[in-house]
Amino acid sequence: MLHFLTALSVGIAPCSSFQMKKDILEEEECEGRRRKAVLVEGKKVSNMAENVLKPMDAEQLRENAHKMVDFIADYYQNIESFPVLSQVQPGYLRKLLPDSAPNQPEQFQDVLNDIQAKILPGVTHWQSPDYFAYFPSNSSTAGFLGEMLSAGLNIVGFSWVTSPAATELEVIVLDWLAKLLKLPEEFLSPGQGGGVIQGTASEAVLVVLLAARDTFLRRHGKNSLAKLVAYASNQAHASLQKACQIGGIHAENCRFLETDSSTNYALSPDILQEAISKDIAAGLIPFFLSATVGTTSSTAVDPLFELGKIAKENKIWFHVDAAYAGSACICPEYRHHIDGVETADSFNMNAHKWFLTNFDCSVLWVKDRSALIQSLSTNPEYLRNKASQGNIVVDYKDWQIPLGRRFRSLKLWMVLRLYGLENLQCYIRSHIEFAKHFEELVSLDQRFEIIVPRTFSLVCFRLLSPHNHDDFCNKLNHDLLDAVNSTGKIFLSHTVLSGKYILRFVVGTPLTEERHVNAAWKVLQDEATKLLGGGSAN
């Protein structure tokens, strides 16, 4: 028909009637094929749209989340089959993955298959029952479910108005935890203090150091920064040094005071007092003291009451870092380790270490929240709101470094509710008993020695050298650590105390049982025998 009309319009004589009908039929057939092709292509596009993972679809979420939970459950069920310490070489993953992201969506099952085949070999399994290296990073069903809910709600609770429940639950649950630890009332929210969840202990010490710095600058003048001095033992966590660097405290004004075996590597009050006196005499300004309950190297416990007394006499901000060992202090028999916390201005513990709360959840309490707020608050127009302007709510953005923050209190709340105090205490005690058991095993083998008395669930020990030579002994223990970790059966870490290279064995993962401790000791004995040339255990 189109050809016929076109011919008429340009004055060309039409073909015969037969030819015209033939042309019309051919044109209609061609048009039919085109329409059919369009329908088929449209159906393909429609089907593709149905199969593509949408940004958020309730039914797709339900289907794929079930698959992911099954994957994770299977992982935990089979976690003992993996080498604890990843055995891959640097750069392994680049050889296994494409150079660029895909143009078209891939299937979720294909991604899971790649995780199983390519990602898990490069994972060091922190939740393995044979993990005895660094301080633990606990996971639990309750913590995982809280993390899942937090991810699902996906709020950014920087101020009260952005999600009132996020702020108010955090205030309440940190008061709960403070009461379990029997912290002084000054740390609770009804007073001038309160608690806040930071990402890590590194963030906690940074924010209180900044608050202390600004308090002293207001007191002594902004040009006195170069005179401010911070104190801690040489066993304090390296995060304090980083906090000083970020806070502009001169490196030469960071006093990491010597400790030794005479105090089990705890900070001596006499050494602290001497250092402070010298600095004051030199015209410097002592402003910050950080004490540790459970140091990383050996779980040394600094004497809080004596140190706090010195801090108070010199009007120094006193911070207590109990990142690892704070969890144990919910047990009455270990609470005495934080006696003297009443003298502190701030106190920190990591619920994500030994308190069954998935990373990250580092809890910080302060006696004077206004010090944090004065140092860290910002109030741009786009964040102003009636509740904040009326000073009737907590805005946690002013208690931390970043603006944004996750709904982390959900997982801590679930841990406290779904396990309860008695079960949490039993959990802590079981790990300490396993560590005692390991300490006894080491003591029975005369080839080894315990370096410092065990306090919590960390045992510090080393293999003795038959040549009685320090350098050779250090190398021997270095080689033992490499040999043990290379087996993939267990994972340990090391430290150095008074020039001695020693091994750290810390119990703290949720799945660890006594049989895992016994098996780990067997690996250590076997590898020691090989290094010593076949000498058997006594």
Side-chain angles (χ1 to χ4, degrees):
M1 187 70 177
L2 180 61
H3 290 317
F4 178 67
L5 293 175
T6 303
L8 287 177
S9 67
V10 296
I12 299 175
C15 301
S16 66
S17 175
F18 174 79
Q19 183 63 44
M20 183 176 69
K21 289 180 181 179
K22 182 179 179 182
D23 290 344
I24 291 171
L25 289 172
E26 288 177 351
E27 184 64 27
E28 289 178 345
E29 184 179 354
C30 183
E31 179 68 12
R33 286 197 301 269
R34 187 188 68 79
R35 290 177 178 175
K36 184 177 181 181
V38 169
L39 289 173
V40 170
E41 188 63 29
K43 188 174 182 180
K44 287 182 180 178
V45 171
S46 177
N47 289 337
M48 183 179 294
E50 290 176 3
N51 293 329
V52 168
L53 195 65
K54 299 171 185 176
M56 183 50 69
D57 177 87
E59 289 309 312
Q60 284 185 329
L61 174 63
R62 192 187 314 279
E63 177 185 353
N64 290 296
H66 277 299
K67 291 179 181 178
M68 181 59 82
V69 170
D70 285 342
F71 183 90
I72 294 170
D74 289 342
Y75 165 74
Y76 275 98
Q77 198 166 45
N78 299 300
I79 196 168
E80 292 187 58
S81 66
F82 297 101
V84 187
L85 176 64
S86 173
Q87 304 294 304
V88 301
Q89 296 300 311
Y92 90 99
L93 193 56
R94 187 168 291 278
K95 300 173 185 177
L96 300 178
L97 296 183
D99 291 336
S100 57
N103 289 326
Q104 299 300 323
E106 300 181 11
Q107 294 299 307
F108 182 57
Q109 187 58 51
D110 293 336
V111 176
L112 290 180
N113 292 342
D114 274 352
I115 293 172
Q116 186 72 43
K118 301 171 183 178
I119 301 300
L120 288 185
V123 168
T124 291
H125 302 279
W126 283 66
Q127 306 308 314
S128 169
D130 299 306
Y131 179 99
F132 304 104
Y134 310 108
F135 287 142
S137 179
N138 276 181
S139 181
S140 70
T141 301
F144 174 74
L145 293 174
E147 189 71 68
M148 183 188 293
L149 181 56
S150 177
L153 297 176
N154 200 32
I155 64 101
V156 186
F158 49 81
S159 61
W160 178 88
V161 72
T162 59
S163 273
T167 296
E168 296 194 13
L169 183 62
E170 187 161 334
V171 171
I172 292 167
V173 78
L174 295 194
D175 279 350
W176 283 8
L177 185 52
K179 291 173 183 177
L180 295 186
L181 291 165
K182 295 182 171 55
L183 294 183
E185 288 188 4
E186 294 97 317
F187 285 119
L188 301 181
S189 62
Q192 299 302 310
V196 56
I197 298 177
Q198 305 285 342
T200 65
S202 301
E203 293 175 38
V205 73
L206 173 59
V207 297
V208 294
L209 181 133
L210 294 177
R213 179 201 65 183
D214 292 349
T215 298
F216 274 74
L217 291 180
R218 287 190 296 271
R219 185 183 303 168
H220 296 278
K222 63 181 180 180
N223 294 324
S224 61
L225 179 62
K227 295 182 178 181
L228 299 184
V229 185
Y231 304 86
S233 86
N234 64 351
Q235 299 300 307
H237 195 274
S239 58
L240 176 59
Q241 181 180 350
K242 181 179 285 191
C244 288
Q245 292 172 205
I246 296 172
I249 307 305
H250 292 201
E252 61 270 23
N253 288 350
C254 298
R255 306 277 184 262
F256 295 101
L257 304 173
E258 287 295 318
T259 60
D260 58 38
S261 59
S262 68
T263 60
N264 290 327
Y265 298 96
L267 178 58
S268 164
D270 292 339
I271 290 176
L272 173 66
Q273 183 60 70
E274 181 182 359
I276 290 174
S277 297
K278 285 183 178 179
D279 287 332
I280 292 174
L284 298 175
I285 305 172
F287 88 105
F288 189 80
L289 168 64
S290 181
T292 309
V293 177
T295 58
T296 301
S297 285
S298 64
T299 62
V301 177
D302 291 337
L304 301 188
F305 184 80
E306 293 85 350
L307 298 178
K309 183 179 178 181
I310 294 172
K312 185 176 182 180
E313 289 172 352
N314 292 276
K315 299 180 180 179
I316 298 173
W317 184 293
F318 184 30
H319 175 64
V320 175
D321 175 2
Y324 158 70
S327 297
C329 296
I330 65 168
C331 300
E333 65 269 33
Y334 298 107
R335 172 56 178 76
H336 69 276
H337 289 297
I338 58 171
D339 284 353
V341 68
E342 61 272 15
T343 66
D345 297 285
S346 51
F347 178 84
N348 168 239
M349 65 158 280
N350 285 354
H352 62 241
K353 270 191 166 62
W354 200 13
F355 206 72
L356 290 174
T357 307
N358 290 46
F359 186 83
D360 55 356
C361 188
S362 182
V363 183
L364 171 68
W365 289 274
V366 293
K367 282 184 176 176
D368 179 13
R369 57 179 175 263
S370 67
L372 281 186
I373 295 169
Q374 282 183 281
S375 184
L376 301 171
S377 67
T378 55
N379 195 26
E381 184 60 39
Y382 50 80
L383 296 182
R384 293 176 184 268
N385 61 84
K386 183 177 179 181
S388 297
Q389 296 305 108
N391 291 320
I392 57 174
V393 296
V394 171
D395 284 338
Y396 275 126
K397 70 179 179 63
D398 299 328
W399 298 43
Q400 62 178 26
I401 300 300
L403 173 66
R405 64 196 328 268
R406 300 169 58 242
F407 200 165
R408 287 179 292 212
S409 59
L410 274 174
K411 53 191 173 186
L412 182 55
W413 184 52
M414 286 194 175
V415 165
L416 290 169
R417 291 190 64 187
L418 296 179
Y419 297 127
L421 175 59
E422 291 184 3
N423 282 325
L424 290 167
Q425 289 172 334
C426 289
Y427 175 73
I428 296 291
R429 287 168 179 150
S430 68
H431 287 155
I432 293 175
E433 287 302 314
F434 294 154
K436 284 181 182 178
H437 174 61
F438 181 81
E439 183 181 38
E440 291 168 358
L441 293 174
V442 175
S443 299
L444 292 173
D445 190 333
Q446 295 180 11
R447 300 176 302 170
F448 291 85
E449 69 171 339
I450 300 294
I451 299 299
V452 292
R454 180 204 48 77
T455 305
F456 301 103
S457 67
L458 170 67
V459 179
C460 293
F461 68 105
R462 70 171 179 166
L463 180 63
L464 293 170
S465 166
H467 303 296
N468 197 27
H469 189 281
D470 286 343
D471 289 342
F472 185 86
C473 190
N474 286 344
K475 184 180 185 306
L476 183 65
N477 282 276
H478 182 279
D479 292 345
L480 177 59
L481 183 68
D482 280 350
V484 164
N485 288 341
S486 294
T487 67
K489 296 177 181 178
I490 61 174
F491 180 30
L492 272 65
S493 62
H494 80 282
T495 192
V496 174
L497 292 172
S498 300
K500 297 178 180 179
Y501 187 102
I502 65 175
L503 306 186
R504 299 171 70 259
F505 184 95
V506 59
V507 183
T509 65
L511 295 174
T512 299
E513 300 173 4
E514 186 172 315
R515 64 184 176 89
H516 299 107
V517 174
N518 291 335
W521 177 235
K522 179 68 164 56
V523 173
L524 279 158
Q525 285 188 307
D526 290 347
E527 295 303 321
T529 297
K530 294 176 186 177
L531 286 172
L532 295 175
S536 61
N538 293 318

